[in-house]
Amino acid sequence: MPIVSQVLRPLGGLTLALWLATNPAASQEGVVHWRMNSLLHPKLFGEAGERFAETVRRLSDGGFIIEVHDRLVLDQDTFGALNSGLVDAVWGSAGHHHREDPALTIFTGFPFGPDPAGFTAWMRGGGGAEALEAIYARHEMKGLYCGILPAEGGGWFLAPVESSADLEGLAMRSFGYGARVLQKLGVVPYELPAEEIRPALEAGLIDAAEFSLPSIDAELGIADVAKYLYFPGWQQPVTSLEILMPEKTWAALSDHHKAVLETACGDTLSWTAAEAAVEQVAAIAAFRTMGVELHAWPDEVLSDLRKAWNEVIAEETARDPLLAEAWKSYLQFRDGYGDWQARAYAK
């Protein structure tokens, strides 16, 4: 399926540039300065936040300046940092805030979910944005969908996986709903930060790890230790990126500055979709030269993982009415989108 390409978002039938030309008062506003905390490593698509900030500066002609700070606060401290005014905004993904609200996890990407084009369609026009807004509203937060990354690797292993039985008792770095699913198959999950994954594998503290895209895993040196990489990345077919801020911060912005942020999000979404896809090609080629064995998950394992995911999402939606509404929104979108995809494209 082709990656979705975004252009400057229409603003009431006008592009941002034309809107500015017909609204000269916008350029007379005082300069807005924000401190934005990035939860992503600078070289691991954290650079998307820097690019986003530069686009905001350029589109506002220097009237909106966002200073990007690398992990000034940790993901679990995000809501507190925003509410206290320590930072004005946060660059990351909704799933970073799963400790504050587990329902946010599906808006980063979820097991056996859609590809980047499908996820973007759901978020931009299929009801996903409204579902996320309802969940953020209970924390008085406002998020804007600003980026999309393709599927992660399915997992790095020190030994081959030939059946679901090989997962029983395995210590594995994992995250979010993927970890919950693996746990049902007997895996013991650990949510280690990026820089601790390779040392943990080298020391034998864990037997396997799933973290991110192949290109990001390469930067972490995981392929130097674990030589078995499995596909597909069933646990996270996409990773979404966003800018998050308090609702009161968004409400205080002028229409002009809101338009600047929304347009910069569209530009960054387009850039991440294309750039991330290209980088995976080079990463996979490099793995082959390093002797990494690229494997497809055995059918039995994928089937068991899918069954476990169905159990996990049923448990989660039963606990949270807003998550249930969000999941219903996705399923309705998936049915119609899947029908169109099946008819529109040759297999």
Side-chain angles (χ1 to χ4, degrees), residues 10-334:
L11 303 170
L14 301 174
T15 65
L16 178 64
L18 182 55
W19 189 87
L20 289 172
T22 56
N23 290 267
S27 62
Q28 299 173 10
E29 296 173 325
V31 176
V32 174
H33 287 272
W34 275 12
R35 285 160 55 88
M36 184 170 76
N37 180 52
S38 176
L39 297 173
L40 301 174
H41 191 285
K43 293 183 179 180
L44 309 183
F45 279 97
E47 69 270 31
E50 295 279 1
R51 190 181 188 280
F52 170 80
E54 173 55 24
T55 303
V56 169
R57 184 204 63 77
R58 179 170 48 82
L59 290 176
S60 66
D61 197 23
F64 197 157
I65 305 298
I66 298 178
E67 299 174 5
V68 182
H69 298 268
D70 174 32
R71 291 170 290 181
L72 185 65
V73 296
L74 300 178
D75 49 1
Q76 61 264 32
D77 301 320
T78 291
F79 286 12
L82 287 169
N83 285 325
S84 70
L86 177 63
V87 295
D88 301 290
V90 169
W91 182 261
S93 192
H96 278 119
H97 317 303
H98 68 97
R99 297 176 189 85
E100 298 278 2
D101 195 325
L104 293 168
T105 307
I106 69 166
F107 295 98
T108 290
F110 50 86
F112 300 100
D115 66 4
F119 189 88
T120 296
W122 178 50
M123 287 299 295
R124 297 284 291 232
E130 292 79 6
L132 176 57
E133 186 171 10
I135 293 172
Y136 269 144
R138 60 187 175 190
H139 304 284
E140 298 183 325
M141 294 291 165
K142 169 73 176 181
L144 296 176
Y145 177 55
C146 294
I148 191 73
L149 306 179
E152 296 184 348
W156 294 87
F157 294 83
L158 298 178
V161 176
E162 297 178 353
S163 70
S164 297
D166 292 331
L167 298 175
E168 182 70 36
L170 208 68
M172 184 173 181
R173 189 280 170 194
S174 190
F175 164 81
Y177 285 145
R180 289 276 308 282
V181 170
L182 288 164
Q183 195 170 29
K184 284 186 174 289
L185 271 63
V187 171
V188 182
Y190 295 90
E191 190 178 332
L192 300 175
E195 61 273 12
E196 294 182 16
I197 296 174
R198 175 177 172 167
L201 285 165
E202 289 178 318
L205 298 176
I206 56 175
D207 308 297
E210 64 86 6
F211 180 67
S212 190
L213 307 177
S215 63
I216 292 178
D217 291 346
E219 289 281 347
L220 298 176
I222 297 176
D224 295 329
V225 184
K227 294 298 183 180
Y228 301 93
L229 175 58
Y230 281 77
F231 291 96
W234 59 270
Q235 77 285 358
Q236 202 157 323
V238 303
T239 298
S240 67
L241 304 179
E242 67 173 14
I243 182 172
L244 181 68
M245 69 204 79
E247 285 180 340
K248 62 184 180 183
T249 300
W250 172 257
L253 290 174
S254 67
D255 289 344
H256 163 56
H257 285 141
K258 288 177 180 176
V260 166
L261 287 181
E262 289 174 334
T263 305
C265 277
D267 175 82
T268 308
L269 175 61
S270 176
W271 180 80
T272 54
E275 183 71 14
V278 170
E279 288 191 9
Q280 306 325 302
V281 177
I284 294 300
F287 290 155
R288 288 195 172 98
T289 66
M290 297 170 66
V292 172
E293 295 187 20
L294 307 175
H295 291 273
W297 287 105
D299 290 342
E300 173 213 345
V301 176
L302 276 180
S303 177
D304 288 344
L305 289 167
R306 189 182 293 273
K307 290 176 184 176
W309 163 239
N310 290 336
E311 293 176 9
V312 169
I313 192 61
E315 292 164 0
E316 292 297 298
T317 53
R319 281 195 284 263
D320 187 338
L322 280 183
L323 176 59
E325 285 299 311
W327 188 242
K328 179 181 178 181
S329 164
Y330 168 68
L331 293 178
Q332 289 175 340
F333 167 79
R334 184 192 65 180

